Amino acid sequence: MDIFGCFLRVGATAYGGPAMMPLMREHILKRGWLSAEDFKLGLALCQTIPGGTLMQIAAYTGLRLRGLPGALAGFLGFGLPALALITALSAIYHAAQGLTVTASAMQGLSAVVLGIIGLAVYDFWLKYARGPRRLGLTLAACGLFLYGIGPAWIILGAACAGPVVFRDETAPPVALSDAPAPVRGVLALAALALAWLAATYFLAPLLFTLSLSMAKADLIAFGGYGVFPALYHETVDLHRWMSAETFMDGMALAQVTPGPFMLGSCFVGYHIAGVLGALTAGAWIFTPSFFILMLTVPCAGRLLTWQPFRRALAGVLSTLGGLILAVGVQLARGTDWNALKAAMCAGAALALWRKVDPIWVVLCGVALGVWLL
């Protein structure tokens, strides 16, 4: 219960991915659950596999402390506050659609979201697009996505190209101790997941499709905002469950909630299947990456030292900024721009860059939208 309670508090009070990391680190180190070096190496592992980094850190910490039950406690504790809040906000949004004040508020939020996307692009480019080879992969990913190539194919291509493009680069060794694999527990959870898929395939095909769609988005998402292009492609381009404008409203609402941004998927689920859809999307947006983490930790030291893997990862990470930029371009094309919206977009990006708490940026966007738009 201590693991669940700790991460529940963090998940209920922390806003903004980068801002959450120091708070999570403080709680983990203060309790002596991991040493500073173990936390650093665990973070390195979680950043090299798909999924939300902070959700993975919560599960990784629980796994090292209490095995699979501890991993589930950390995972659920960190994610539940945001899941409950985004589901409630999705219900309010859909109930209030059509009201003039709602439309004005969402216009303000859409400008803020584009500012957030701009800053996310800058952040990913700064981290992963340094040098001509990485920049070339970033721009190629942007161009291919705008041309209509799905993000999964782009990321797969980058993973295959990485060992060739970065063949002269050698990543430093990582001394992460191996841990026993919770094989029986993972197999039991996998059986439950397969049973859910089998049941929904026959009884609720829409939930079956939603589960697979969210799982696919999770598999090609690295870091919180890395899910953005994958979720956009699945929701808007592929299945056409909602318009780009509605999708942007949902991602704006995800900024109002604490915890992981990837739970913006709950808005998608609620839009197409109500509360059960929100819970389904919230669970499956993390399911594959959770299994990957459970199976990766036992051999993490060897994996992170294997140079072909590190070079393939460098190729994948180089594409993320380009994919997010491409989504931003598509959303910007559909926006009815004026001077005020442009100023709000730039102001949101500047405020977040100056480390203003995202919740205040979002609330200001709502207030200005209601007042001026």
Side-chain angles (χ1 to χ4, degrees):
M1 283 301 293
D2 193 27
I3 296 172
F4 178 82
C6 170
F7 287 113
L8 185 73
R9 286 192 293 274
V10 176
T13 57
Y15 285 82
M20 282 188 252
M21 185 62 72
L23 180 62
M24 181 172 282
R25 183 179 186 274
E26 178 187 345
H27 277 277
I28 291 171
L29 298 188
K30 182 174 67 176
R31 288 168 171 78
W33 287 347
L34 297 176
S35 67
E37 185 64 18
D38 283 340
F39 181 87
K40 178 182 175 182
L41 294 174
L43 177 60
L45 171 65
C46 294
Q47 289 174 329
T48 62
I49 58 178
T53 302
L54 290 165
M55 286 288 285
Q56 301 285 54
I57 280 287
Y60 172 82
T61 303
L63 181 68
R64 297 304 293 258
L65 291 171
R66 297 288 184 272
L68 184 60
L72 287 170
F75 211 70
L76 292 173
F78 186 63
L80 281 176
L83 186 148
L85 189 51
I86 189 64
T87 301
L89 289 174
S90 299
I92 294 169
Y93 170 88
H94 286 86
Q97 268 189 316
L99 299 178
T100 302
V101 67
T102 304
S104 298
M106 298 318 296
Q107 283 194 61
L109 274 178
S110 67
V112 169
V113 168
L114 286 170
I116 291 170
I117 291 173
L119 188 66
V121 170
Y122 171 77
D123 184 56
F124 274 100
W125 282 35
L126 202 62
K127 288 180 180 176
Y128 305 122
R130 291 182 177 274
R133 288 178 290 184
R134 284 175 169 78
L135 182 58
L137 286 173
T138 299
L139 295 175
C142 179
L144 289 170
F145 190 92
L146 291 174
Y147 183 72
I149 306 298
W153 294 111
I154 295 171
I155 288 174
L156 179 61
C160 294
V164 177
V165 174
F166 303 111
R167 61 187 177 277
D168 59 338
E169 294 189 9
T170 301
V174 175
L176 189 63
S177 59
D178 293 340
V183 176
R184 280 193 231 171
V186 169
L187 288 176
L189 288 176
L192 285 175
L194 290 174
W196 166 268
L197 290 176
T200 54
Y201 180 80
F202 292 105
L203 302 176
L206 182 58
L207 291 181
F208 173 78
T209 304
L210 177 63
S211 299
L212 291 184
S213 179
M214 295 301 103
K216 195 197 310 183
D218 181 32
L219 283 171
I220 57 176
F222 288 80
Y225 288 113
V227 77
F228 203 94
L231 204 55
Y232 179 90
H233 177 73
E234 290 290 320
T235 302
V236 179
D237 292 338
L238 192 60
H239 296 289
R240 301 189 182 281
W241 283 325
M242 61 179 63
S243 66
E245 292 76 17
T246 303
F247 176 81
M248 193 150 60
D249 290 346
M251 297 307 101
L253 289 178
Q255 293 295 320
V256 180
T257 64
F261 174 76
M262 290 177 72
L263 281 172
S265 60
C266 294
F267 177 86
V268 176
Y270 190 94
H271 182 80
I272 64 175
V275 173
L276 186 55
L279 297 177
T280 299
W284 280 91
I285 198 67
F286 294 116
T287 296
S289 57
F290 180 83
F291 283 121
I292 290 172
L293 178 67
M294 294 302 102
L295 298 175
T296 300
V297 168
C299 58
R302 295 189 296 274
L303 182 65
L304 293 176
T305 306
W306 188 38
Q307 295 304 324
F309 172 79
R310 298 293 291 271
R311 291 164 186 157
L313 178 66
V316 169
L317 294 177
S318 298
T319 67
L320 297 181
L323 292 173
I324 297 172
L325 175 62
V327 173
V329 169
Q330 290 182 323
L331 292 175
R333 284 175 179 169
T335 300
D336 183 19
W337 288 101
N338 57 39
L340 178 58
K341 283 187 181 179
M344 290 173 65
C345 177
L350 179 62
L352 291 168
W353 181 67
R354 296 295 299 270
K355 308 301 182 186
V356 175
D357 196 319
I359 186 62
W360 296 114
V361 178
V362 170
L363 291 177
C364 284
V366 171
L368 288 173
V370 171
W371 181 33
L372 299 173
L373 299 174

